[in-house]
Amino acid sequence: MQPVISFTDVAKQYNGREVLSSLSFTINKGDVVGILGPSGMGKTTILKLVSGLEKPSSGKVQINGAQIGYVFQEPRLFPWKTALENVVLPLKANGIAKGKRIGIGTHYLEVMGLAKFADYYPSQLSGGMKQRVSLARAFAIKPDVLLLDEPFSALDIKLRDYLLSMISDQLKHHPMTLLYVSHSPKELARIATRAFIMHSGHEMSEISVSECETMESDSDELFSSRPVTNNLVEGKCTTCTC
């Protein structure tokens, strides 16, 4: 099977400061991959490299024919556009006819429980509602690869659980490859089929999803205190502030 995402000896520096070093791994079509680790370990940098928002300083990042959706830590909505207009904006850019894109956008706002707020502007929505609009926008393009960068970290537990269930349902109806960055092992265990952990020792290793289910904490101390396993992904990540 040809990987959808492939990192080969990837290194990344910002202003001469090394963030990732000699990192190699592959992700296959349909993998739902969780990436755990302390703050400032380069998890977001990996997503930016996959999306093309950043380029590696050396090595190769290969994405095989994938349309990518990206949900950031913050909603990143256009304040002068309504919720529905924000959702359908990438559909318009892809050349989808107005009637069809309105139908698609309306559907995903309904999925997110926001049908009544389609004509609201971001300033009229709560933080959780804005993040749901951002998620609807990402699903609306039916991406081959969906990148989630701790999108629920500012949400309450009830809403977080609802959105995780919604994502799980969407994956059943529209399978895709998903990379999900989080501090919460149990959150990842809800949807992931594979899991990586980035250690304070700057190594990244693959762990079982069942191991995520047994972790009792989502604090940075959890990751810094865990021993590095023998199941190492080739390469290392070095401390960064991104």
Side-chain angles (χ1 to χ4, degrees):
M1 180 183 295
Q2 185 181 35
V4 173
I5 299 167
S6 178
F7 276 47
T8 305
D9 294 326
V10 170
K12 179 64 180 176
Q13 293 93 32
Y14 291 101
N15 298 320
R17 184 177 185 183
E18 190 175 60
V19 177
L20 302 176
S21 176
S22 302
L23 187 64
S24 298
F25 64 87
T26 59
I27 295 174
N28 294 320
K29 183 177 181 179
D31 283 349
V32 180
V33 178
I35 303 177
L36 292 163
S39 300
M41 291 295 292
K43 302 184 300 296
T44 294
T45 299
I46 290 175
L47 297 190
K48 288 181 177 179
L49 289 168
V50 171
S51 70
L53 292 176
E54 297 282 357
K55 301 297 181 184
S57 302
S58 63
K60 184 177 182 181
V61 176
Q62 185 172 354
I63 312 298
N64 293 311
Q67 177 163 259
I68 296 174
Y70 201 145
V71 181
F72 299 87
Q73 294 180 25
E74 64 284 343
R76 299 197 181 187
L77 304 178
F78 292 100
W80 59 88
K81 291 187 176 293
T82 66
L84 180 58
E85 288 170 340
N86 269 283
V87 172
V88 303
L89 190 61
L91 300 176
K92 182 179 180 179
N94 287 345
I96 295 176
K98 182 177 180 179
K100 184 175 181 180
R101 65 178 183 256
I102 293 298
I104 294 171
T106 300
H107 167 73
Y108 281 103
L109 285 177
E110 289 175 351
V111 169
M112 297 294 161
L114 296 173
K116 296 180 180 180
F117 302 94
D119 295 327
Y120 282 52
Y121 290 91
S123 62
Q124 298 172 296
L125 302 174
S126 69
M129 294 166 77
K130 286 186 282 190
Q131 196 64 305
R132 280 185 277 168
V133 173
S134 178
L135 198 57
R137 180 174 58 190
F139 274 115
I141 65 172
K142 293 183 171 59
D144 302 301
V145 175
L146 179 59
L147 308 177
L148 301 178
D149 190 2
E150 299 190 67
F152 309 142
S153 58
L155 305 183
D156 62 65
I157 293 176
K158 184 176 180 180
L159 181 55
R160 189 182 306 182
D161 286 345
Y162 167 77
L163 292 175
L164 286 169
S165 296
M166 183 280 305
I167 290 173
S168 181
D169 289 342
Q170 289 298 310
L171 290 173
K172 292 175 184 176
H173 292 99
H174 304 287
M176 65 186 72
T177 304
L178 188 148
L179 273 69
Y180 188 2
V181 163
S182 179
H183 278 76
S184 173
K186 291 187 177 181
E187 190 175 295
L188 290 187
R190 292 275 301 273
I191 59 173
T193 59
R194 297 175 65 191
F196 293 99
I197 186 167
M198 299 176 76
H199 303 272
S200 60
H202 316 313
E203 300 286 356
M204 187 167 84
S205 59
E206 186 164 7
I207 61 174
S208 68
V209 174
S210 60
E211 190 173 356
C212 292
E213 295 173 345
T214 64
M215 294 180 183
E216 297 298 331
S217 171
D218 61 0
S219 68
D220 287 354
E221 286 76 12
L222 166 70
F223 306 111
S224 61
S225 63
R226 288 178 58 81
V228 177
T229 69
N230 291 326
N231 194 21
L232 290 175
V233 175
E234 185 178 348
K236 63 181 180 178
C237 306
T238 55
T239 303
C240 69
T241 58
C242 59

